[in-house]
Amino acid sequence: MRRTRSIHSSRWHSNANPCEIVTRFARLRTYNRASFVSGTFNAMSNSTELDLSSIAPRTKAEILAQALPYIRKFHGKTMVIKYGGNAMTDPALQADFAEDVVLLKLVGMNPVVVHGGGPQIETALNRLGKKGEFIQGMRVTDAETMEVVEWVLAGEVQQDIVGLINQAGGKAVGLTGRDGGMIRAQKLRMVDSKDPSIEHDIGQVGDIVSIDPSVVKALQDDAFIPVISPIGFGEDNESYNINADVVASKLATVLRAEKLVLLTNIPGVLNKAGELLTDLTSREIDGLFADGTISGGMLPKIAGALDAAKAGVNAVHIIDGRVPHAMLLEILTEQAYGTMIRSH
Ligand code: ADP
Ligand code: MG
């Protein structure tokens, strides 16, 4: 059995698959239907055409009405969403994501987008004959890599997302952590996870000192959707590359967000047998760190998610961004997806 949420109305107990509900809800036109495979969606495997024009208007109305309890519950609440890099390589999914963000804004929520850009940075580095190197899930960032990171994140990636949100009818504004003095950072001191006597020098990777969210709040109040590149600034105005999951997590805490949603390229946190872990407590996470189940980019993701949960963000979820409209499924249906991180 998968988890379901506490909001119930009799209408929620229909037989309709939540994926279909949200897909129809989000976009009332022809769409490639995702198939439901072993508790998660396999977005790529089934391209059955779903002709939405064949759905009776009454059914469409029913589907829309089913989102009401969630729209009411989350009205006026801040949702911090981490998007990309690995979840944002498919253009169709990018357009879906932008539509979802606009829809959340138009029904009265306050989405704040923090984006990553791993694959895009990797492509740019390869063009320069460089290859990315990671230690404990963090990108080793020498001066040349930092230039590429700034150029790719605050340029191409951020502006793609801003453009798509605007195209979907929203008003997105791109920011980096420099704007409004938002993200103060210092050089991250990375201690080896197995031998604490070893410290790794990973260059201009930032550790967040503080976040001033006033620019984000001002934009939210003015109906804009902030899209934030994870770049911080230091005491001497130097730039820092900060893991986007870490920025999203800290920002969710500082903004007292209702939810933190980390969209990634995997169904959620998996155990050693590759099975999805739907709920994780702090103690269970310690165990997964200790026995090496969690590695690479999942290390900062879970660490940040747990920090946010402990700091009072009500709901923290790691979900599969490759599923069409994953975010709407997560926020506007009773079905819970991916991994929920609990504070205790
Ligand atoms: P993103 O761009 O979404 O931040 P990352 O590559 O940084 O993606 O982090 C997600 C990756 O973490 C997954 O694709 C997977 O390869 C890796 N990973 C390591 N351990 C686990 C785990 N236990 N469960 C799920 N993913 C894991
Ligand atoms: Mg990552």
PDB file of all heavy atoms in Angstrom, residues 69-90:
ATOM      1  N   PRO A  69      -9.532  20.629  -2.088  1.00  0.00           N
ATOM      2  CA  PRO A  69      -9.030  20.601  -0.702  1.00  0.00           C
ATOM      3  C   PRO A  69      -7.563  21.014  -0.597  1.00  0.00           C
ATOM      4  O   PRO A  69      -7.158  21.653   0.381  1.00  0.00           O
ATOM      5  CB  PRO A  69      -9.196  19.143  -0.279  1.00  0.00           C
ATOM      6  CG  PRO A  69     -10.135  18.537  -1.255  1.00  0.00           C
ATOM      7  CD  PRO A  69     -10.068  19.337  -2.512  1.00  0.00           C
ATOM      8  N   TYR A  70      -6.797  20.655  -1.614  1.00  0.00           N
ATOM      9  CA  TYR A  70      -5.365  20.981  -1.585  1.00  0.00           C
ATOM     10  C   TYR A  70      -5.124  22.446  -1.916  1.00  0.00           C
ATOM     11  O   TYR A  70      -4.250  23.093  -1.343  1.00  0.00           O
ATOM     12  CB  TYR A  70      -4.603  20.048  -2.544  1.00  0.00           C
ATOM     13  CG  TYR A  70      -4.787  18.624  -2.092  1.00  0.00           C
ATOM     14  CD1 TYR A  70      -5.760  17.819  -2.663  1.00  0.00           C
ATOM     15  CD2 TYR A  70      -4.068  18.137  -1.010  1.00  0.00           C
ATOM     16  CE1 TYR A  70      -5.987  16.541  -2.191  1.00  0.00           C
ATOM     17  CE2 TYR A  70      -4.284  16.871  -0.528  1.00  0.00           C
ATOM     18  CZ  TYR A  70      -5.247  16.071  -1.117  1.00  0.00           C
ATOM     19  OH  TYR A  70      -5.478  14.826  -0.627  1.00  0.00           O
ATOM     20  N   ILE A  71      -5.923  22.957  -2.845  1.00  0.00           N
ATOM     21  CA  ILE A  71      -5.795  24.372  -3.204  1.00  0.00           C
ATOM     22  C   ILE A  71      -6.130  25.220  -1.967  1.00  0.00           C
ATOM     23  O   ILE A  71      -5.442  26.180  -1.641  1.00  0.00           O
ATOM     24  CB  ILE A  71      -6.707  24.726  -4.393  1.00  0.00           C
ATOM     25  CG1 ILE A  71      -6.202  24.013  -5.657  1.00  0.00           C
ATOM     26  CG2 ILE A  71      -6.760  26.235  -4.619  1.00  0.00           C
ATOM     27  CD1 ILE A  71      -7.123  24.147  -6.860  1.00  0.00           C
ATOM     28  N   ARG A  72      -7.185  24.795  -1.245  1.00  0.00           N
ATOM     29  CA  ARG A  72      -7.597  25.537  -0.057  1.00  0.00           C
ATOM     30  C   ARG A  72      -6.515  25.450   1.021  1.00  0.00           C
ATOM     31  O   ARG A  72      -6.119  26.429   1.615  1.00  0.00           O
ATOM     32  CB  ARG A  72      -8.898  24.946   0.460  1.00  0.00           C
ATOM     33  CG  ARG A  72      -9.704  25.884   1.306  1.00  0.00           C
ATOM     34  CD  ARG A  72     -11.115  25.392   1.490  1.00  0.00           C
ATOM     35  NE  ARG A  72     -11.153  23.970   1.781  1.00  0.00           N
ATOM     36  CZ  ARG A  72     -12.137  23.154   1.415  1.00  0.00           C
ATOM     37  NH1 ARG A  72     -13.163  23.615   0.751  1.00  0.00           N
ATOM     38  NH2 ARG A  72     -12.102  21.881   1.716  1.00  0.00           N
ATOM     39  N   LYS A  73      -6.004  24.247   1.235  1.00  0.00           N
ATOM     40  CA  LYS A  73      -5.012  24.042   2.303  1.00  0.00           C
ATOM     41  C   LYS A  73      -3.730  24.839   2.048  1.00  0.00           C
ATOM     42  O   LYS A  73      -3.119  25.363   2.966  1.00  0.00           O
ATOM     43  CB  LYS A  73      -4.677  22.547   2.400  1.00  0.00           C
ATOM     44  CG  LYS A  73      -3.657  22.243   3.497  1.00  0.00           C
ATOM     45  CD  LYS A  73      -3.388  20.763   3.619  1.00  0.00           C
ATOM     46  CE  LYS A  73      -2.343  20.526   4.703  1.00  0.00           C
ATOM     47  NZ  LYS A  73      -1.803  19.172   4.693  1.00  0.00           N
ATOM     48  N   PHE A  74      -3.334  24.906   0.790  1.00  0.00           N
ATOM     49  CA  PHE A  74      -2.034  25.508   0.489  1.00  0.00           C
ATOM     50  C   PHE A  74      -2.137  26.946  -0.025  1.00  0.00           C
ATOM     51  O   PHE A  74      -1.133  27.525  -0.426  1.00  0.00           O
ATOM     52  CB  PHE A  74      -1.285  24.641  -0.531  1.00  0.00           C
ATOM     53  CG  PHE A  74      -0.998  23.251  -0.033  1.00  0.00           C
ATOM     54  CD1 PHE A  74      -1.217  22.140  -0.829  1.00  0.00           C
ATOM     55  CD2 PHE A  74      -0.522  23.048   1.261  1.00  0.00           C
ATOM     56  CE1 PHE A  74      -0.957  20.860  -0.358  1.00  0.00           C
ATOM     57  CE2 PHE A  74      -0.253  21.775   1.748  1.00  0.00           C
ATOM     58  CZ  PHE A  74      -0.484  20.683   0.932  1.00  0.00           C
ATOM     59  N   HIS A  75      -3.320  27.507  -0.001  1.00  0.00           N
ATOM     60  CA  HIS A  75      -3.478  28.884  -0.488  1.00  0.00           C
ATOM     61  C   HIS A  75      -2.574  29.830   0.318  1.00  0.00           C
ATOM     62  O   HIS A  75      -2.561  29.803   1.542  1.00  0.00           O
ATOM     63  CB  HIS A  75      -4.940  29.329  -0.362  1.00  0.00           C
ATOM     64  CG  HIS A  75      -5.207  30.616  -1.068  1.00  0.00           C
ATOM     65  ND1 HIS A  75      -5.604  30.671  -2.394  1.00  0.00           N
ATOM     66  CD2 HIS A  75      -5.087  31.889  -0.657  1.00  0.00           C
ATOM     67  CE1 HIS A  75      -5.717  31.930  -2.754  1.00  0.00           C
ATOM     68  NE2 HIS A  75      -5.422  32.689  -1.722  1.00  0.00           N
ATOM     69  N   GLY A  76      -1.810  30.646  -0.386  1.00  0.00           N
ATOM     70  CA  GLY A  76      -0.946  31.624   0.278  1.00  0.00           C
ATOM     71  C   GLY A  76       0.333  31.024   0.849  1.00  0.00           C
ATOM     72  O   GLY A  76       1.169  31.745   1.401  1.00  0.00           O
ATOM     73  N   LYS A  77       0.525  29.708   0.724  1.00  0.00           N
ATOM     74  CA  LYS A  77       1.704  29.059   1.298  1.00  0.00           C
ATOM     75  C   LYS A  77       2.864  29.037   0.289  1.00  0.00           C
ATOM     76  O   LYS A  77       2.653  28.977  -0.921  1.00  0.00           O
ATOM     77  CB  LYS A  77       1.369  27.621   1.709  1.00  0.00           C
ATOM     78  CG  LYS A  77       0.278  27.524   2.769  1.00  0.00           C
ATOM     79  CD  LYS A  77       0.861  27.731   4.142  1.00  0.00           C
ATOM     80  CE  LYS A  77      -0.152  28.028   5.220  1.00  0.00           C
ATOM     81  NZ  LYS A  77      -1.112  26.979   5.465  1.00  0.00           N
ATOM     82  N   THR A  78       4.073  29.075   0.840  1.00  0.00           N
ATOM     83  CA  THR A  78       5.263  29.038  -0.010  1.00  0.00           C
ATOM     84  C   THR A  78       5.690  27.596  -0.273  1.00  0.00           C
ATOM     85  O   THR A  78       5.738  26.777   0.642  1.00  0.00           O
ATOM     86  CB  THR A  78       6.411  29.812   0.673  1.00  0.00           C
ATOM     87  OG1 THR A  78       6.029  31.187   0.754  1.00  0.00           O
ATOM     88  CG2 THR A  78       7.708  29.705  -0.103  1.00  0.00           C
ATOM     89  N   MET A  79       5.973  27.319  -1.535  1.00  0.00           N
ATOM     90  CA  MET A  79       6.456  25.994  -1.948  1.00  0.00           C
ATOM     91  C   MET A  79       7.830  26.199  -2.584  1.00  0.00           C
ATOM     92  O   MET A  79       7.919  26.874  -3.613  1.00  0.00           O
ATOM     93  CB  MET A  79       5.545  25.395  -3.033  1.00  0.00           C
ATOM     94  CG  MET A  79       4.081  25.388  -2.687  1.00  0.00           C
ATOM     95  SD  MET A  79       3.762  23.985  -1.635  1.00  0.00           S
ATOM     96  CE  MET A  79       2.133  24.367  -1.049  1.00  0.00           C
ATOM     97  N   VAL A  80       8.864  25.654  -1.986  1.00  0.00           N
ATOM     98  CA  VAL A  80      10.180  25.754  -2.618  1.00  0.00           C
ATOM     99  C   VAL A  80      10.406  24.484  -3.433  1.00  0.00           C
ATOM    100  O   VAL A  80      10.256  23.372  -2.929  1.00  0.00           O
ATOM    101  CB  VAL A  80      11.299  25.964  -1.574  1.00  0.00           C
ATOM    102  CG1 VAL A  80      12.668  25.952  -2.253  1.00  0.00           C
ATOM    103  CG2 VAL A  80      11.089  27.288  -0.835  1.00  0.00           C
ATOM    104  N   ILE A  81      10.735  24.691  -4.688  1.00  0.00           N
ATOM    105  CA  ILE A  81      10.869  23.571  -5.618  1.00  0.00           C
ATOM    106  C   ILE A  81      12.272  23.569  -6.198  1.00  0.00           C
ATOM    107  O   ILE A  81      12.707  24.561  -6.788  1.00  0.00           O
ATOM    108  CB  ILE A  81       9.850  23.714  -6.768  1.00  0.00           C
ATOM    109  CG1 ILE A  81       8.425  23.752  -6.193  1.00  0.00           C
ATOM    110  CG2 ILE A  81       9.997  22.582  -7.764  1.00  0.00           C
ATOM    111  CD1 ILE A  81       7.530  24.703  -6.923  1.00  0.00           C
ATOM    112  N   LYS A  82      12.974  22.466  -6.022  1.00  0.00           N
ATOM    113  CA  LYS A  82      14.296  22.333  -6.653  1.00  0.00           C
ATOM    114  C   LYS A  82      14.093  21.544  -7.945  1.00  0.00           C
ATOM    115  O   LYS A  82      13.547  20.449  -7.945  1.00  0.00           O
ATOM    116  CB  LYS A  82      15.261  21.626  -5.711  1.00  0.00           C
ATOM    117  CG  LYS A  82      16.727  21.576  -6.160  1.00  0.00           C
ATOM    118  CD  LYS A  82      17.001  20.810  -7.418  1.00  0.00           C
ATOM    119  CE  LYS A  82      18.418  20.672  -7.804  1.00  0.00           C
ATOM    120  NZ  LYS A  82      18.915  19.313  -7.874  1.00  0.00           N
ATOM    121  N   TYR A  83      14.539  22.143  -9.024  1.00  0.00           N
ATOM    122  CA  TYR A  83      14.316  21.561 -10.346  1.00  0.00           C
ATOM    123  C   TYR A  83      15.650  21.389 -11.069  1.00  0.00           C
ATOM    124  O   TYR A  83      16.496  22.270 -10.997  1.00  0.00           O
ATOM    125  CB  TYR A  83      13.408  22.491 -11.135  1.00  0.00           C
ATOM    126  CG  TYR A  83      13.085  22.008 -12.516  1.00  0.00           C
ATOM    127  CD1 TYR A  83      12.529  20.758 -12.716  1.00  0.00           C
ATOM    128  CD2 TYR A  83      13.333  22.802 -13.619  1.00  0.00           C
ATOM    129  CE1 TYR A  83      12.226  20.309 -13.977  1.00  0.00           C
ATOM    130  CE2 TYR A  83      13.031  22.369 -14.899  1.00  0.00           C
ATOM    131  CZ  TYR A  83      12.471  21.123 -15.070  1.00  0.00           C
ATOM    132  OH  TYR A  83      12.181  20.683 -16.324  1.00  0.00           O
ATOM    133  N   GLY A  84      15.771  20.240 -11.770  1.00  0.00           N
ATOM    134  CA  GLY A  84      16.974  20.032 -12.570  1.00  0.00           C
ATOM    135  C   GLY A  84      18.111  19.600 -11.690  1.00  0.00           C
ATOM    136  O   GLY A  84      17.831  19.202 -10.603  1.00  0.00           O
ATOM    137  N   GLY A  85      19.323  19.665 -12.163  1.00  0.00           N
ATOM    138  CA  GLY A  85      19.778  19.536 -13.495  1.00  0.00           C
ATOM    139  C   GLY A  85      19.372  18.246 -14.166  1.00  0.00           C
ATOM    140  O   GLY A  85      18.933  18.244 -15.322  1.00  0.00           O
ATOM    141  N   ASN A  86      19.463  17.065 -13.424  1.00  0.00           N
ATOM    142  CA  ASN A  86      19.210  15.820 -14.122  1.00  0.00           C
ATOM    143  C   ASN A  86      17.749  15.629 -14.497  1.00  0.00           C
ATOM    144  O   ASN A  86      17.444  14.860 -15.398  1.00  0.00           O
ATOM    145  CB  ASN A  86      19.714  14.648 -13.284  1.00  0.00           C
ATOM    146  CG  ASN A  86      21.220  14.534 -13.362  1.00  0.00           C
ATOM    147  OD1 ASN A  86      21.783  14.447 -14.448  1.00  0.00           O
ATOM    148  ND2 ASN A  86      21.885  14.588 -12.226  1.00  0.00           N
ATOM    149  N   ALA A  87      16.830  16.325 -13.808  1.00  0.00           N
ATOM    150  CA  ALA A  87      15.411  16.162 -14.116  1.00  0.00           C
ATOM    151  C   ALA A  87      14.968  17.091 -15.235  1.00  0.00           C
ATOM    152  O   ALA A  87      13.810  17.074 -15.619  1.00  0.00           O
ATOM    153  CB  ALA A  87      14.572  16.401 -12.863  1.00  0.00           C
ATOM    154  N   MET A  88      15.863  17.920 -15.748  1.00  0.00           N
ATOM    155  CA  MET A  88      15.404  18.926 -16.710  1.00  0.00           C
ATOM    156  C   MET A  88      16.028  18.798 -18.089  1.00  0.00           C
ATOM    157  O   MET A  88      16.166  19.776 -18.803  1.00  0.00           O
ATOM    158  CB  MET A  88      15.565  20.342 -16.160  1.00  0.00           C
ATOM    159  CG  MET A  88      16.965  20.836 -15.983  1.00  0.00           C
ATOM    160  SD  MET A  88      16.996  22.589 -15.547  1.00  0.00           S
ATOM    161  CE  MET A  88      16.580  23.346 -17.111  1.00  0.00           C
ATOM    162  N   THR A  89      16.349  17.575 -18.487  1.00  0.00           N
ATOM    163  CA  THR A  89      16.985  17.446 -19.798  1.00  0.00           C
ATOM    164  C   THR A  89      15.978  17.219 -20.935  1.00  0.00           C
ATOM    165  O   THR A  89      16.320  17.379 -22.094  1.00  0.00           O
ATOM    166  CB  THR A  89      18.043  16.315 -19.778  1.00  0.00           C
ATOM    167  OG1 THR A  89      17.492  15.215 -19.087  1.00  0.00           O
ATOM    168  CG2 THR A  89      19.310  16.757 -19.082  1.00  0.00           C
ATOM    169  N   ASP A  90      14.727  16.888 -20.607  1.00  0.00           N
ATOM    170  CA  ASP A  90      13.721  16.642 -21.649  1.00  0.00           C
ATOM    171  C   ASP A  90      12.841  17.889 -21.859  1.00  0.00           C
ATOM    172  O   ASP A  90      12.164  18.334 -20.933  1.00  0.00           O
ATOM    173  CB  ASP A  90      12.874  15.443 -21.190  1.00  0.00           C
ATOM    174  CG  ASP A  90      11.747  15.112 -22.168  1.00  0.00           C
ATOM    175  OD1 ASP A  90      11.342  16.005 -22.942  1.00  0.00           O
ATOM    176  OD2 ASP A  90      11.276  13.973 -22.144  1.00  0.00           O
TER     177      ASP A  90
END
